[in-house]
Amino acid sequence: MNTAARYLYLVLGAIISFHYILAFTHQEYGRITSFDNIASHFRVETIQTPTFVDRNLVPLEYYAPPNPWNDTAPGRRANAAFVILCRNTDLTRIIGSIREIEDRFNRRYNYPYVLLNEVEFNDDFKKRVSVLTSAKMEFGLIPHDHWFQPDWIDEDKATEARKKMVSQSIIYGGSKSYRNMCRFNSGFFFRHDLVKKYRWYWRIEPNVHFHCDINFDPFVYMEDHKKIYAFTIAMYEYKKTIPTLWKHVKDFIDLHPEFVARNNALDFLSDDSGTTYNLCHFWSNFEIADMNFWRGAAYTAFFDYLESQGGFYYERWGDAPVHSIAAALFANKDQIQFFDEIGYEHFPYTHCPRDEETWRRGMCTCEREQSFDQDGYSCMSKWDKVIGR
Ligand SMILES: Nc1nc2c(ncn2[C@@H]2O[C@H](COP(=O)(O)OP(=O)(O)OP(=O)(O)O)[C@@H](O)[C@H]2O)c(=O)[nH]1
Ligand SMILES: *[C@@H]1O[C@H](CO)[C@@H](O)[C@H](O)[C@H]1NC(C)=O
Ligand SMILES: [Mg+2]
């Protein structure tokens, strides 16, 4: 049951018992009260009650109201950039994504972009992408060793693993480049020369959609609230892509118990206090995060440990479980932010704000009823439980 439904039952329950008591004490009151008008009364109430603070939404003071004469959002800025990894062949799909984030957010906030690729972006790509924004845009080449499979990886063993995954029809199971990408996103993008100067990043992928206006600055909100990681969609990982990952996580923690945060979100990752991984992770094609966390001692040691196990190539470890496990264990749970406000779609899933007021204020184009949050494959109910909602 989601939070809204639980809340509804709770309030309904309270109203019914209140009326039940009144029905005994005040005879007339009991007679005019039918179940129907209790329900309609409740619906009116939910719309009128301000629910912002209760549901951990971004407070109103962070919103910059649109100004028809000067649409630049006033206020503080964070040291932040959009970071985009893509190929020359992603041109039309990345144009779509940039166009949408510009329209919904960045035309008012003007954060710079860094686009990265393991081969040079061609002139046509740079020209067509640069015209989409007045913000600064830089195009970078990824250093060879940050991208390609290291020499010490046993290629026969890696080939064998890929073959096996193909026979099991695991998505991208046979792909070397997908593995390079997952390893790069796990451990290297934040070390790139063009990215180093920034603290915060917002990851954008080709062909994603932003379904609502974002009239607040997520970076500034996160900085103010000491958040290190933000997500919009949480789901289960394919077990077969990470058969031994959790064992290595536990080995790492045995070596470095000092990195585990006191108030961590282990219960998001595990249903048995850490014995097994329940496969929940934040879907990393959307990420807003503090790179100081990835650059810090805990994550550096964690990534180096995972890298030394070779699982990015001998299995198919994704950057999503790697990032999520680190954020959930090495940060306090209140440092992880769920942005209900940000309507987001990466095929085949969409997050649409569940808060009705937010959804209307953001002029969203998504359908709340079809939001992935309510899907059986979503880990959102686990997250809600972890943070006590
Ligand atoms: N430069 C470069 N970027 C890549 C490569 N493979 C993937 N990417 C980028 O890495 C990100 C993730 O890759 P995707 O192909 O979107 O993987 P996914 O999101 O798991 O799967 P789908 O989007 O469903 O295909 C995207 O931003 C891609 O543009 C590659 O070989 N080279
Ligand atoms: C628009 O507003 C921004 C932020 O308040 C300000 O820095 C800028 O100078 C304004 N531009 C004009 C043309 O007034
Ligand atoms: Mg993608």
Short mmCIF file of all heavy atoms in Angstrom, two decimals, residues 84-88 90 94 116-119 121 142 147 171-172 177-178 181 185 203-206 283 285 346-348, ligand 1:
data_model
loop_
_atom_site.label_atom_id
_atom_site.label_comp_id
_atom_site.label_asym_id
_atom_site.label_seq_id
_atom_site.Cartn_x
_atom_site.Cartn_y
_atom_site.Cartn_z
N ILE A 84 26.89 14.48 -19.07
CA ILE A 84 26.25 13.62 -20.06
C ILE A 84 27.30 12.74 -20.72
O ILE A 84 28.27 13.24 -21.28
CB ILE A 84 25.55 14.47 -21.15
CG1 ILE A 84 24.46 15.35 -20.53
CG2 ILE A 84 24.99 13.58 -22.26
CD1 ILE A 84 23.77 16.29 -21.51
N LEU A 85 27.09 11.45 -20.63
CA LEU A 85 27.94 10.49 -21.35
C LEU A 85 27.14 10.02 -22.56
O LEU A 85 26.02 9.53 -22.39
CB LEU A 85 28.27 9.31 -20.44
CG LEU A 85 28.99 8.14 -21.10
CD1 LEU A 85 30.43 8.50 -21.45
CD2 LEU A 85 28.95 6.92 -20.20
N CYS A 86 27.69 10.19 -23.74
CA CYS A 86 26.98 9.64 -24.90
C CYS A 86 27.87 9.51 -26.12
O CYS A 86 29.04 9.88 -26.09
CB CYS A 86 25.72 10.46 -25.21
SG CYS A 86 26.04 12.11 -25.82
N ARG A 87 27.32 8.92 -27.16
CA ARG A 87 28.05 8.68 -28.40
C ARG A 87 27.59 9.67 -29.47
O ARG A 87 26.51 10.24 -29.36
CB ARG A 87 27.75 7.26 -28.91
CG ARG A 87 28.33 6.17 -28.04
CD ARG A 87 27.61 4.85 -28.26
NE ARG A 87 26.30 4.89 -27.62
CZ ARG A 87 25.71 3.84 -27.02
NH1 ARG A 87 26.30 2.67 -27.00
NH2 ARG A 87 24.53 3.97 -26.44
N ASN A 88 28.39 9.83 -30.50
CA ASN A 88 27.98 10.67 -31.63
C ASN A 88 26.64 10.21 -32.20
O ASN A 88 25.82 11.03 -32.60
CB ASN A 88 29.05 10.64 -32.72
CG ASN A 88 30.23 11.54 -32.35
OD1 ASN A 88 30.08 12.74 -32.12
ND2 ASN A 88 31.41 10.95 -32.27
N ASP A 90 24.19 9.17 -30.66
CA ASP A 90 23.07 9.50 -29.77
C ASP A 90 22.53 10.90 -30.04
O ASP A 90 21.67 11.39 -29.29
CB ASP A 90 23.52 9.44 -28.30
CG ASP A 90 23.72 8.00 -27.82
OD1 ASP A 90 22.87 7.16 -28.15
OD2 ASP A 90 24.72 7.74 -27.13
N ILE A 94 19.94 12.81 -27.57
CA ILE A 94 20.44 13.70 -26.52
C ILE A 94 19.91 15.12 -26.74
O ILE A 94 19.67 15.87 -25.79
CB ILE A 94 21.98 13.66 -26.38
CG1 ILE A 94 22.39 14.10 -24.96
CG2 ILE A 94 22.71 14.50 -27.42
CD1 ILE A 94 21.86 13.23 -23.84
N LEU A 116 30.72 13.89 -22.32
CA LEU A 116 31.90 13.03 -22.37
C LEU A 116 31.68 11.86 -23.32
O LEU A 116 30.58 11.35 -23.47
CB LEU A 116 32.21 12.50 -20.96
CG LEU A 116 32.49 13.54 -19.88
CD1 LEU A 116 32.66 12.86 -18.52
CD2 LEU A 116 33.72 14.38 -20.22
N ASN A 117 32.81 11.44 -23.90
CA ASN A 117 32.76 10.36 -24.89
C ASN A 117 34.14 9.71 -24.95
O ASN A 117 35.14 10.38 -24.69
CB ASN A 117 32.41 10.98 -26.25
CG ASN A 117 32.04 9.95 -27.30
OD1 ASN A 117 32.24 8.74 -27.11
ND2 ASN A 117 31.53 10.43 -28.42
N GLU A 118 34.20 8.43 -25.28
CA GLU A 118 35.52 7.79 -25.39
C GLU A 118 36.16 8.02 -26.75
O GLU A 118 37.33 7.71 -26.95
CB GLU A 118 35.44 6.31 -25.02
CG GLU A 118 35.09 5.35 -26.14
CD GLU A 118 33.58 5.30 -26.42
OE1 GLU A 118 32.82 6.15 -25.93
OE2 GLU A 118 33.16 4.38 -27.18
N VAL A 119 35.37 8.56 -27.70
CA VAL A 119 35.96 9.09 -28.95
C VAL A 119 35.55 10.56 -29.05
O VAL A 119 34.62 10.99 -28.38
CB VAL A 119 35.47 8.30 -30.20
CG1 VAL A 119 35.86 6.83 -30.12
CG2 VAL A 119 33.97 8.44 -30.38
N PHE A 121 33.80 13.91 -29.95
CA PHE A 121 32.53 14.30 -30.54
C PHE A 121 32.83 14.98 -31.88
O PHE A 121 33.78 15.76 -31.98
CB PHE A 121 31.79 15.28 -29.62
CG PHE A 121 31.17 14.61 -28.43
CD1 PHE A 121 31.68 14.82 -27.15
CD2 PHE A 121 30.08 13.74 -28.58
CE1 PHE A 121 31.10 14.20 -26.03
CE2 PHE A 121 29.52 13.12 -27.47
CZ PHE A 121 30.02 13.35 -26.20
N ILE A 142 37.33 10.99 -22.96
CA ILE A 142 37.62 10.18 -21.77
C ILE A 142 39.00 9.55 -21.92
O ILE A 142 39.29 8.95 -22.96
CB ILE A 142 36.55 9.08 -21.60
CG1 ILE A 142 35.18 9.72 -21.34
CG2 ILE A 142 36.92 8.11 -20.47
CD1 ILE A 142 34.01 8.75 -21.46
N TRP A 147 38.24 4.19 -19.45
CA TRP A 147 37.14 3.59 -20.23
C TRP A 147 37.36 2.11 -20.54
O TRP A 147 36.53 1.27 -20.24
CB TRP A 147 36.90 4.38 -21.53
CG TRP A 147 35.73 3.87 -22.30
CD1 TRP A 147 35.75 2.98 -23.34
CD2 TRP A 147 34.35 4.18 -22.08
NE1 TRP A 147 34.47 2.73 -23.80
CE2 TRP A 147 33.59 3.44 -23.03
CE3 TRP A 147 33.67 5.01 -21.17
CZ2 TRP A 147 32.20 3.52 -23.10
CZ3 TRP A 147 32.28 5.08 -21.24
CH2 TRP A 147 31.57 4.34 -22.20
N ILE A 171 20.18 -8.92 -20.49
CA ILE A 171 20.26 -7.69 -21.27
C ILE A 171 21.69 -7.12 -21.22
O ILE A 171 22.27 -7.03 -20.13
CB ILE A 171 19.19 -6.67 -20.80
CG1 ILE A 171 19.21 -5.44 -21.69
CG2 ILE A 171 19.36 -6.32 -19.33
CD1 ILE A 171 18.01 -4.52 -21.49
N TYR A 172 22.23 -6.77 -22.37
CA TYR A 172 23.61 -6.31 -22.55
C TYR A 172 24.65 -7.32 -22.05
O TYR A 172 25.81 -6.99 -21.84
CB TYR A 172 23.85 -4.97 -21.84
CG TYR A 172 22.96 -3.85 -22.33
CD1 TYR A 172 22.02 -3.26 -21.48
CD2 TYR A 172 23.05 -3.37 -23.64
CE1 TYR A 172 21.19 -2.24 -21.92
CE2 TYR A 172 22.22 -2.34 -24.08
CZ TYR A 172 21.30 -1.78 -23.22
OH TYR A 172 20.49 -0.76 -23.65
N SER A 177 31.22 -2.89 -24.38
CA SER A 177 31.13 -1.43 -24.22
C SER A 177 30.17 -1.08 -23.08
O SER A 177 30.39 -0.10 -22.35
CB SER A 177 30.71 -0.75 -25.52
OG SER A 177 29.38 -1.05 -25.82
N TYR A 178 29.12 -1.88 -22.91
CA TYR A 178 28.19 -1.60 -21.79
C TYR A 178 28.93 -1.75 -20.46
O TYR A 178 28.72 -0.97 -19.53
CB TYR A 178 27.00 -2.57 -21.85
CG TYR A 178 25.85 -2.15 -20.94
CD1 TYR A 178 24.90 -1.25 -21.36
CD2 TYR A 178 25.76 -2.66 -19.64
CE1 TYR A 178 23.86 -0.86 -20.53
CE2 TYR A 178 24.72 -2.27 -18.80
CZ TYR A 178 23.78 -1.37 -19.26
OH TYR A 178 22.75 -0.98 -18.43
N MET A 181 31.08 1.22 -19.89
CA MET A 181 30.22 2.33 -19.47
C MET A 181 29.87 2.22 -17.97
O MET A 181 29.98 3.19 -17.23
CB MET A 181 28.96 2.35 -20.34
CG MET A 181 27.93 3.39 -20.03
SD MET A 181 26.80 2.92 -18.71
CE MET A 181 25.75 1.75 -19.53
N ASN A 185 31.00 4.94 -15.22
CA ASN A 185 30.02 5.66 -14.40
C ASN A 185 30.17 5.35 -12.91
O ASN A 185 29.81 6.16 -12.06
CB ASN A 185 28.60 5.33 -14.85
CG ASN A 185 28.16 6.21 -16.01
OD1 ASN A 185 28.61 7.35 -16.14
ND2 ASN A 185 27.30 5.67 -16.87
N ARG A 203 22.99 13.86 -13.73
CA ARG A 203 23.24 13.00 -14.88
C ARG A 203 22.04 12.97 -15.81
O ARG A 203 20.91 12.79 -15.37
CB ARG A 203 23.54 11.59 -14.39
CG ARG A 203 23.75 10.58 -15.49
CD ARG A 203 24.40 9.34 -14.92
NE ARG A 203 24.18 8.18 -15.75
CZ ARG A 203 24.50 6.94 -15.38
NH1 ARG A 203 25.04 6.73 -14.18
NH2 ARG A 203 24.29 5.93 -16.18
N ILE A 204 22.33 13.18 -17.09
CA ILE A 204 21.29 13.16 -18.11
C ILE A 204 21.67 12.12 -19.16
O ILE A 204 22.82 12.06 -19.58
CB ILE A 204 21.16 14.54 -18.82
CG1 ILE A 204 21.01 15.68 -17.81
CG2 ILE A 204 20.05 14.52 -19.85
CD1 ILE A 204 19.61 16.02 -17.43
N GLU A 205 20.70 11.34 -19.59
CA GLU A 205 20.93 10.35 -20.65
C GLU A 205 20.14 10.71 -21.90
O GLU A 205 19.19 11.50 -21.84
CB GLU A 205 20.50 8.95 -20.17
CG GLU A 205 21.49 8.32 -19.24
CD GLU A 205 21.36 6.79 -19.20
OE1 GLU A 205 20.51 6.21 -19.92
OE2 GLU A 205 22.13 6.19 -18.43
N PRO A 206 20.51 10.11 -23.03
CA PRO A 206 19.72 10.32 -24.25
C PRO A 206 18.29 9.83 -24.05
O PRO A 206 18.05 8.85 -23.32
CB PRO A 206 20.43 9.43 -25.28
CG PRO A 206 21.80 9.20 -24.75
CD PRO A 206 21.66 9.22 -23.26
N TRP A 283 17.70 4.03 -9.59
CA TRP A 283 17.92 3.90 -11.04
C TRP A 283 18.82 5.04 -11.49
O TRP A 283 18.39 6.19 -11.53
CB TRP A 283 16.57 3.95 -11.76
CG TRP A 283 16.51 3.10 -12.98
CD1 TRP A 283 17.28 2.02 -13.27
CD2 TRP A 283 15.61 3.27 -14.09
NE1 TRP A 283 16.91 1.50 -14.49
CE2 TRP A 283 15.90 2.24 -15.01
CE3 TRP A 283 14.59 4.18 -14.38
CZ2 TRP A 283 15.21 2.10 -16.21
CZ3 TRP A 283 13.89 4.03 -15.56
CH2 TRP A 283 14.20 3.01 -16.47
N ASN A 285 20.19 6.23 -14.18
CA ASN A 285 20.18 7.10 -15.37
C ASN A 285 19.73 8.51 -15.00
O ASN A 285 20.04 9.47 -15.68
CB ASN A 285 19.34 6.50 -16.50
CG ASN A 285 17.98 6.07 -16.02
OD1 ASN A 285 17.15 6.91 -15.64
ND2 ASN A 285 17.74 4.76 -15.99
N HIS A 346 12.57 7.52 -18.17
CA HIS A 346 13.57 6.82 -18.99
C HIS A 346 12.88 5.53 -19.37
O HIS A 346 12.47 4.76 -18.50
CB HIS A 346 14.84 6.57 -18.18
CG HIS A 346 15.88 5.76 -18.91
ND1 HIS A 346 15.67 4.47 -19.33
CD2 HIS A 346 17.15 6.07 -19.30
CE1 HIS A 346 16.76 4.02 -19.95
NE2 HIS A 346 17.68 4.98 -19.94
N PHE A 347 12.74 5.31 -20.65
CA PHE A 347 12.00 4.14 -21.10
C PHE A 347 12.46 2.89 -20.34
O PHE A 347 13.66 2.69 -20.19
CB PHE A 347 12.20 3.96 -22.61
CG PHE A 347 11.40 2.82 -23.17
CD1 PHE A 347 10.07 2.98 -23.50
CD2 PHE A 347 11.99 1.56 -23.35
CE1 PHE A 347 9.33 1.92 -24.00
CE2 PHE A 347 11.25 0.51 -23.85
CZ PHE A 347 9.93 0.68 -24.17
N PRO A 348 11.58 2.04 -19.87
CA PRO A 348 10.12 2.08 -20.00
C PRO A 348 9.40 2.63 -18.77
O PRO A 348 8.20 2.41 -18.63
CB PRO A 348 9.79 0.60 -20.18
CG PRO A 348 10.81 -0.12 -19.33
CD PRO A 348 12.05 0.76 -19.30
N1 LIG B 1 30.36 7.42 -25.22
C1 LIG B 1 29.66 6.32 -24.96
N2 LIG B 1 28.56 6.41 -24.20
C2 LIG B 1 27.86 5.28 -23.95
C3 LIG B 1 28.25 4.02 -24.45
N3 LIG B 1 27.37 3.10 -24.02
C4 LIG B 1 26.46 3.75 -23.29
N4 LIG B 1 26.74 5.07 -23.23
C5 LIG B 1 26.01 6.09 -22.50
O1 LIG B 1 25.86 5.61 -21.18
C6 LIG B 1 24.57 5.84 -20.69
C7 LIG B 1 23.85 4.54 -20.39
O2 LIG B 1 23.75 3.78 -21.56
P1 LIG B 1 22.36 3.23 -22.09
O3 LIG B 1 22.61 2.58 -23.40
O4 LIG B 1 21.36 4.32 -22.02
O5 LIG B 1 22.05 2.10 -21.04
P2 LIG B 1 20.74 1.84 -20.18
O6 LIG B 1 20.15 3.13 -19.74
O7 LIG B 1 21.07 0.84 -19.17
O8 LIG B 1 19.79 1.12 -21.21
P3 LIG B 1 18.80 1.74 -22.31
O9 LIG B 1 18.76 3.21 -22.17
O10 LIG B 1 17.52 1.06 -22.02
O11 LIG B 1 19.44 1.30 -23.61
C8 LIG B 1 23.88 6.70 -21.72
O12 LIG B 1 24.11 8.07 -21.38
C9 LIG B 1 24.60 6.34 -23.00
O13 LIG B 1 24.57 7.40 -23.92
C10 LIG B 1 29.43 3.96 -25.27
O14 LIG B 1 29.86 2.92 -25.73
N5 LIG B 1 30.09 5.14 -25.47
#
